[in-house]
Every structure is written in structure tokens, then in C-alpha cells.
Amino acid sequence: MLSAIPSAVLAPLNAVAGTGIAVAAAAVLAAVLAAVRIRRGDPKGPAFGGLAGVAIAGFVAWQTGSGGGLFLPDLVWYLLAALVLAGSLVVRRPLVGIGWAAVARGGTGRADHRRFALATALLAAGFLVRAGVTGLLGLAPHNPWLVAAKVATGLPGTLAGLAVVAWARPRPGARPDPAPGPARVSRWPAPSAGRCPR
């Protein structure tokens, strides 16, 4: 979660101070957070995630020559996440359910499956909303309303997504789906056409 903070400050800093200062400040913040996490013994992958995100955003902005390029990596990530989540619903394997099945013990019932599908759909919708805001912000990076929307859907959006996933957790004592049993075979032969069984 801490790795999302440097990217979250890019939008307001870019609108107030310009692209160069925004990238520099976000890079310093990402480096400090990475150092703190490494000092605490946290995994190094997430520790450098924010730093890598800021570096990619700064490179894209430099290549495009526009502050709107800062938000292109976020836009691609949001669209990809929404596509994967929606695809898991299409194949009837909600991604939230797959995640909970990997960590939860015991079976899951039909009510759990409905929550998994709903939570996955909500996450996909949330990523689509964030993609829409980010895309508009890329076209108008200094629009104060879009900057505020970007901030509101950034870290708060991540916390809301985590709350949705937590809500969808399997309930203790839920009745698992019954396993399909052997087919029952009738002792009586099927009646022939035109004849009534005795």
C-alpha cells in the first residue's frame, strides 16, 4: 500500500509545480519509503514498486514532452486490471474467489460464490472508473477537478477495494456445495412405446 503513495502525489504536484518537480519529489518519496521498508525487513519487491512506477511515469512524460504522460502507466494498469477481473467473471472463476480459496480453509457455499462474483465485479468497475479519471487527466493534467478526482480514487480507492475483498471472505460454518453423487438407476425397465407397465 505504501508503494502507491508516490504515484498518488504526482497529480497534485504536477498541477501546482510542474512535471519536473513532481517527478523529482515523487522519486525522493519513493526512495525514502523503499529504504524504510528494507530497513524493517519487508520484501524488496513491493519496496521498489513505487520507485519503479515513478521512474516509468517520468520516462513516459519525458518522451511525450507532456505532463499528461505521467498518467499513462496508471491508465494501462487500470485497464489491464479491469480486463483480467472481467475475464474471470466471463469464465465463471471470479478472481476474488480464487484468491480466497488459496488462503481460506474449508469449502465454500453458493452464497460465498455470489459474494466472490459481486466483489470481483465491483473491483472491475472501480478500476474502470479510475481508468476514466486517469485518461481525462492525461488530456487535461492541470484541471483541478480531475486532480481532485485522481487523488480521491487513488489511495482511498485502494482501501475501498481491500474492504470489498475483506467483505467477500468465506463465512465460517458455510455449507459447502454438495458433491455430485452417483446417478441412481431405476430397478424397473422403462415402458415400451404403446404399452403400460404392470
Side-chain angles (χ1 to χ4, degrees):
M1 188 181 300
L2 291 177
S3 60
I5 295 178
S7 296
V9 304
L10 281 174
L13 285 178
N14 179 67
V16 174
T19 303
I21 295 179
V23 172
V28 170
L29 179 58
V32 170
L33 291 176
V36 170
R37 297 192 63 164
I38 292 175
R39 186 179 181 86
R40 293 191 312 185
D42 294 343
K44 294 183 179 180
F48 288 104
L51 189 59
V54 173
I56 294 173
F59 177 76
V60 172
W62 177 64
Q63 288 290 327
T64 59
S66 170
L70 288 173
F71 311 109
L72 184 58
D74 280 349
L75 177 61
V76 172
W77 157 242
Y78 295 151
L79 290 176
L80 181 61
L83 180 63
V84 171
L85 288 165
S88 72
L89 289 174
V90 171
V91 299
R92 297 187 178 184
R93 293 293 185 273
L95 204 58
V96 172
I98 294 175
W100 275 118
V103 299
R105 296 179 179 179
T108 57
R110 293 181 180 178
D112 292 326
H113 295 171
R114 287 193 291 268
R115 283 196 305 275
F116 295 157
L118 179 57
T120 302
L122 289 174
L123 290 180
F127 276 114
L128 283 178
V129 170
R130 296 168 80 173
V133 171
T134 304
L136 292 175
L137 188 59
L139 298 176
H142 298 286
N143 187 303
W145 294 106
L146 292 176
V147 171
K150 172 66 174 175
V151 173
T153 58
L155 188 58
T158 301
L159 294 176
L162 292 175
V164 169
V165 173
W167 165 80
R169 71 188 185 281
R171 301 299 190 260
R175 179 181 298 178
D177 292 338
R184 297 183 61 183
V185 180
S186 174
R187 296 173 55 188
W188 303 101
S192 304
R195 297 180 58 185
C196 296
R198 295 180 181 179

